[in-house]
Amino acid sequence: MAEVAPDIAEPTASPSGSTGTTPLCCPAGMVAELVQESETALKTDDFADQLQHNDDGSESLILVVQNLHCPSCIRSIESAVENKPGLLKARVNLSTRRLKLNWDPAETNAEPLLAAVAARGYRLVPLDPAQLESAEAEEGRALLRAMAVAGFAASNVMLLSVAVWSGLAADMGPATRTLMHWVSALIALPAVAYAGRPFFRSALAAVRGGHTNMDVPISLAVLLAAGMSLSETLRGGEQVFFDASVMLLFFLLIGRFLDLRLRGRARSAAENLTALKATAATVVAPDGSLHSLPIARLEPGMTVAVAAGERIPVDGKVLLGRSEVDTALLTGESLPRPVGEGSEVFAGTVNGGGPLRITVTKLAEASLLAEIVRLMENAEQGRDRYVRLADRVARHYAPAVHLLAAATFTGWMVLSDLPWQSSLMIAIAVLIITCPCALGLAVPAVQVAAVGRLLKQGILVKSADALERLAAVDTFVFDKTGTLTLGRPSLQNGSDIEPQVLALAAAMARHSRHPLARALCQTAPRTADRDLVVQEHAGDGLSTELDGRTLRLGRRGWCGIADDAAEGAQDGAMELWLAGGDFAPQRFVFRDAPRPDTADVIKRLQRRGIAVELLSGDRSPVAAQLAKDLGIDVWHGDCRPADKIARLEALAAEGRKTAMIGDGLNDAPALAAAFASLSPADAADISQIAADIVFQGDHLAPLVEALDTARSAKRLVLQNFALAMLYNLIAVPIAVAGFVTPLIAAVAMSSSSIIVTANAMRLNLKSQGKDA
Amino acid sequence: MSALVYLIPVALFLGLLGLAGFLWALKSGQFEDLDGAAHRVLMDDDEESASERKSDKPEKP
């Protein structure tokens, strides 16, 4: 996100101690001044549609907190509102980045609550509850409930089964045994009927569609085991498989739940984006009154008011006002562009300087932002074709298991004189034994271990199959600005400048939020604040009176330096001048510096056999220079979003698997088009959503870490498959031969599940950042 | 063996109690934010406890 204050972690700029907690990354306190002047607090009209009226008379509202990053934000937000009168409940959800407020409408309304949170620097966007009740969220809860029921049933049935098994060895009477079986049936049958539904439903859908999936053998095994056990119980037989059927469900549901949890992250991120798109714009009516309107209903010719610090909602022309617009997300340009009356502005960019009135020139759907979203959605469809490893295995495994069970049944019928019930029982035992319990856990267990390991290092894996895809990647394609570089300028010639001049410039710069000014005060040593009265001239620079002279810090022309008169006139670097003092005019040169470990990371990637490319929207010479500095052989400059996609497609056509790393809005389509994609946490929202993996911090080392973890995760998954197969190799002959008792089935199933889970945990034993 | 007549119901009852507890926790939203819950444990809520008692919010630990 390109807030007007992009560098919120900067120590010199944050007034301390306003929240009681120590903000690590939070905007708390820091952006407060900004929000006050930009008046972005929501008014009741803005969220009337999203308000929920509860049965008990209270009202609630769910909001996306745009800049919620770290755990201390929870305290910061909740403590901002918790003492307000009329508030019933305020709860921050860190996983989904949402805040839920619940209040008593008789005592308060939402405005003071939202204002209190906004004053701590958080940007809130109301969410429409109608969109939230998605099927998948309900599926997650249903899965958890099923898991709880299966867990309860498994533990209790096992308790009884252990008694029966030891009773068989000792001298349990048939009456007691049958009692135990009946109690087991009483627990297991309802549990199977309830907890098995997710599998039955999916199996049924697969069979109807004329193919099989992993759920077909699972459903068959569970149902047949339960049914056969019931008939055994009725006959007063010795062997029942109630424990196996519920335990199977329990283990498999754990795998399913872990899998779903990984997917849930991506889902909530997508829902949050929908909310952002629906944000309202402030429209100026012909009579001068202001009212808010959903962006979708804006029409060309309308006038929109955009306060400083707000995102510009539509493409349009500036009608009134002078300001600077941060276009970093759209173009990758790191400096804000000055705009005045008549300049064109684009949706998605952030208005940095002063308030603007904008005449809408295009419908919201036709805006540049919408165009990029469309490009991204088109590109994304290609990725859906990826078939996950587990599904590929299942495709072969399920028919094989069915054939094996059928062959066992016919074999025993034809070759022996056992009654058909006994042959069926042996065939069912084969199904139970081969049931992919370990297979069902093999992938999710590794993924959870891998995702957890990465999360500890600030790397968020968003989609369940992201690591699988990343492991297969052989080419990394980088964007330049904001990805290889920090995306913000830093002073280059600080050591050549006299300390007093630098201190003076920094003291002036402290009064501005312009990126160059911020870079200047970051580099300069912190000296005692001078009492300067500084005036900011939008688009030009800063001026102040000192000892009767007018000092100017800003644009070359504005400071009275002729375009061709001084050093570096033609090099096009970012620069500031300080003139008017009792010293020669001083030039400050800035450069968008590479991230501190960029060169090192690229070397380490190349050592791992990864080809590295640079695709930049910036001018070719700049891209070439950076590529040369960093040791990247293949680079392309002047790339528009469509060009980036074209390049990725060309690489894919060569049979290469590409990972795209980018941060800008202009990278989003490419991120969606690449085989795998990563994006830094300060990237545009839409890029973070398009990316599979989001990493935090100023360093690129997480890329190497993610790649290594993905590769070892893949190795572990394959090992787990091998272990599961090995287990089948041993257990299947025993089952086919008809020697499987319920005890053997239970031991075999749980031990294989424990083995694959334990193997997955090995991922956490590996030390970090080791070079292969 | 007659002990079974009451031991089995007792075991089942305890198990059901656990199940009911879990389902209640699920329903009251304690599984909605697993990331946040991990950090909430570590939060210093001394300053909060005063207001907590006043407003009596049972859903917070």
Side-chain angles (χ1 to χ4, degrees):
Chain A
M1 268 181 290
E3 275 102 79
V4 186
D7 183 15
I8 44 186
E10 179 197 337
T12 51
S14 64
S16 57
S18 61
T19 58
T21 50
T22 322
L24 300 169
C25 63
C26 318
M30 165 59 202
V31 197
E33 26 145 6
L34 211 161
V35 172
Q36 274 158 17
E37 74 191 47
S38 64
E39 291 171 27
T40 48
L42 291 158
K43 300 279 177 288
T44 308
D45 290 350
D46 299 344
F47 52 81
D49 293 344
Q50 285 93 356
L51 215 57
Q52 281 171 285
H53 301 278
N54 302 329
D55 297 338
D56 59 358
S58 66
E59 290 179 347
S60 52
L61 186 64
I62 303 173
L63 302 123
V64 181
V65 186
Q66 267 186 283
N67 37 7
L68 174 67
H69 296 301
C70 74
S72 58
C73 297
I74 299 179
R75 278 302 293 139
S76 173
I77 293 178
E78 288 183 356
S79 64
V81 290
E82 70 185 359
N83 287 329
K84 300 271 175 214
L87 181 85
L88 298 173
K89 184 176 176 180
R91 188 98 179 157
V92 174
N93 187 324
L94 186 65
S95 323
T96 55
R97 292 203 202 171
R98 287 178 197 154
L99 165 66
K100 184 169 183 182
L101 289 172
N102 187 346
W103 66 90
D104 182 358
E107 280 191 60
T108 183
N109 64 25
E111 276 182 37
L113 302 176
L114 299 183
V117 178
R120 293 258 166 113
Y122 295 97
R123 285 200 264 144
L124 301 170
V125 181
L127 265 176
D128 190 353
Q131 290 168 353
L132 287 184
E133 285 311 314
S134 66
E136 214 174 328
E138 181 46 44
E139 190 195 332
R141 275 195 294 275
L143 213 54
L144 254 180
R145 275 199 298 270
M147 195 171 96
V149 170
F152 157 76
S155 60
N156 281 281
V157 173
M158 192 51 75
L159 211 66
L160 298 163
S161 298
V162 170
V164 174
W165 295 332
S166 51
L168 284 177
D171 55 345
M172 183 183 272
T176 315
R177 197 179 58 223
T178 309
L179 171 72
M180 295 291 203
H181 287 170
W182 273 113
V183 177
S184 303
L186 210 67
I187 304 168
L189 291 177
V192 166
Y194 183 80
R197 285 182 310 168
F199 302 101
F200 304 154
R201 222 176 289 139
S202 136
L204 210 63
V207 170
R208 277 210 194 111
H211 58 274
T212 66
N213 59 13
M214 210 63 131
D215 291 332
V216 177
I218 292 171
S219 305
L220 267 182
V222 170
L223 285 176
L224 285 175
M228 182 200 74
S229 305
L230 185 63
S231 82
E232 279 292 289
T233 309
L234 284 169
R235 290 199 306 140
E238 270 187 21
Q239 300 197 333
V240 295
F241 285 92
F242 287 123
D243 55 294
S245 59
V246 282
M247 196 166 64
L248 203 64
L249 283 178
F250 184 45
F251 282 145
L252 289 167
L253 283 167
I254 293 176
R256 269 317 135 86
F257 174 69
L258 294 179
D259 201 46
L260 194 89
R261 234 188 92 193
L262 294 180
R263 266 186 251 194
R265 286 182 199 281
R267 189 194 68 238
S268 61
E271 280 171 358
N272 289 358
L273 178 71
T274 327
L276 293 185
K277 272 199 258 174
T279 323
T282 311
V283 174
V284 188
D287 62 1
S289 65
L290 301 176
H291 56 99
S292 69
L293 207 65
I295 291 176
R297 278 164 51 199
L298 291 178
E299 278 165 32
M302 284 182 168
T303 307
V304 176
V306 184
E310 265 187 358
R311 210 172 279 271
I312 295 173
V314 280
D315 288 5
K317 268 201 167 64
V318 176
L319 184 69
L320 207 69
R322 265 168 82 81
S323 176
E324 289 181 330
V325 173
D326 183 349
T327 59
L329 294 180
L330 214 52
T331 59
E333 182 78 37
S334 44
L335 278 190
R337 200 164 52 91
V339 294
E341 277 150 45
S343 326
E344 248 188 298
V345 289
F346 298 101
T349 56
V350 176
N351 177 20
L356 288 176
R357 293 281 163 96
I358 293 167
T359 311
V360 182
T361 54
K362 276 184 193 166
L363 285 177
E365 305 96 82
S367 71
L368 195 56
L369 178 65
E371 182 61 30
I372 285 178
V373 172
R374 240 193 317 281
L375 261 178
M376 186 181 103
E377 280 166 358
N378 286 341
E380 220 158 33
Q381 284 161 5
R383 197 189 281 173
D384 290 340
R385 286 199 293 270
Y386 179 78
V387 183
R388 296 210 282 162
L389 200 55
D391 295 336
R392 269 180 284 169
V393 172
R395 209 177 273 172
H396 302 287
Y397 191 77
V401 168
H402 293 157
L403 275 178
L404 191 67
T408 310
F409 179 67
T410 43
W412 278 98
M413 283 295 283
V414 174
L415 300 176
S416 76
D417 41 4
L418 279 179
W420 68 270
Q421 289 95 334
S422 306
S423 305
L424 184 63
M425 217 161 122
I426 294 170
I428 292 172
V430 170
L431 268 184
I432 295 175
I433 275 290
T434 53
C435 199
C437 202
L439 280 185
L441 279 172
V443 179
V446 174
Q447 269 176 350
V448 166
V451 168
R453 177 191 163 98
L454 289 176
L455 198 63
K456 263 181 238 154
Q457 296 163 54
I459 307 168
L460 176 69
V461 181
K462 278 180 38 212
S463 64
D465 51 2
L467 287 176
E468 262 179 47
R469 280 186 273 117
L470 185 60
V473 157
D474 55 13
T475 309
F476 269 50
V477 180
F478 285 92
D479 166 52
K480 187 180 77 72
T481 315
T483 308
L484 286 179
T485 67
L486 285 166
R488 53 172 184 261
S490 59
L491 186 64
Q492 285 303 295
N493 59 343
S495 51
D496 308 339
I497 300 171
E498 290 209 26
Q500 300 97 313
V501 178
L502 190 58
L504 178 64
M508 286 178 75
R510 205 152 277 142
H511 295 265
S512 169
R513 276 195 306 272
H514 189 280
L516 291 186
R518 293 173 63 85
L520 196 54
C521 26
Q522 250 181 340
T523 343
R526 178 129 182 121
T527 48
D529 263 335
R530 302 198 196 191
D531 250 348
L532 293 177
V533 182
V534 175
Q535 279 185 314
E536 184 154 9
H537 309 268
D540 285 330
L542 303 162
S543 69
T544 189
E545 303 285 322
L546 187 70
D547 308 332
R549 296 164 183 263
T550 304
L551 281 172
R552 284 181 163 191
L553 175 70
R555 208 156 52 77
R556 174 187 291 251
W558 187 67
C559 290
I561 317 289
D563 266 358
D564 50 354
E567 51 185 313
Q570 305 301 327
D571 64 3
M574 293 182 274
E575 58 171 12
L576 278 182
W577 286 84
L578 179 63
D582 48 5
F583 45 84
Q586 178 61 53
R587 182 178 191 236
F588 301 89
V589 184
F590 299 88
R591 182 177 159 217
D592 186 9
R595 289 178 187 253
D597 60 346
T598 303
D600 178 47
V601 163
I602 284 170
K603 260 191 224 94
R604 285 167 71 191
L605 285 173
Q606 284 164 339
R607 215 177 303 148
R608 282 163 173 74
I610 301 273
V612 177
E613 284 199 21
L614 174 67
L615 289 185
S616 175
D618 212 337
R619 288 161 298 138
S620 286
V622 184
Q625 182 58 42
L626 188 78
K628 198 166 142 255
D629 290 351
L630 296 174
I632 300 174
D633 302 327
V634 190
W635 55 268
H636 300 266
D638 291 316
C639 289
R640 287 172 303 118
D643 297 335
K644 292 191 179 182
I645 294 186
R647 178 65 193 152
L648 289 174
E649 277 167 359
L651 283 170
E654 286 172 30
R656 307 257 286 271
K657 303 243 190 289
T658 51
M660 174 81 202
I661 300 98
D663 75 319
L665 210 53
N666 55 342
D667 297 317
L671 288 169
F675 188 66
S677 49
L678 300 97
S679 132
D682 50 6
D685 290 329
I686 189 167
S687 302
Q688 292 192 39
I689 284 158
D692 299 315
I693 295 170
V694 176
F695 58 92
Q696 284 171 343
D698 270 354
H699 294 257
L700 279 181
L703 294 180
V704 183
E705 180 61 33
L707 180 70
D708 285 353
T709 308
R711 285 182 170 181
S712 30
K714 180 164 190 195
R715 247 194 323 274
L716 283 172
V717 164
L718 291 177
Q719 277 173 18
N720 272 352
F721 282 147
L723 283 172
M725 290 301 162
L726 183 73
Y727 149 81
N728 274 338
L729 227 55
I730 298 167
V732 165
I734 303 176
V736 173
F739 291 127
V740 164
T741 63
L743 178 59
I744 293 182
V747 169
M749 248 168 20
S750 33
S751 59
S752 67
S753 298
I754 289 169
I755 288 172
V756 293
T757 311
N759 191 39
M761 293 303 155
R762 287 200 309 137
L763 197 64
N764 286 320
L765 297 179
K766 244 186 49 168
S767 61
Q768 289 173 20
K770 227 173 34 186
D771 253 23
Chain B
M1 281 303 163
S2 60
L4 284 179
V5 173
Y6 58 87
L7 277 182
I8 290 179
V10 165
L12 279 182
F13 174 73
L14 288 176
L16 278 175
L17 214 62
L19 180 64
F22 179 80
L23 290 180
W24 169 80
L26 183 62
K27 201 168 174 221
S28 68
Q30 296 185 29
F31 287 83
E32 309 260 297
D33 180 21
L34 294 172
D35 296 346
H39 294 287
R40 275 172 198 276
V41 171
L42 304 174
M43 272 171 204
D44 196 11
D45 46 14
D46 289 348
E47 51 198 315
E48 193 187 35
S49 53
S51 65
E52 190 89 336
R53 255 176 269 124
K54 199 169 52 194
S55 57
D56 186 35
K57 282 176 277 183
E59 65 273 4
K60 282 193 188 169

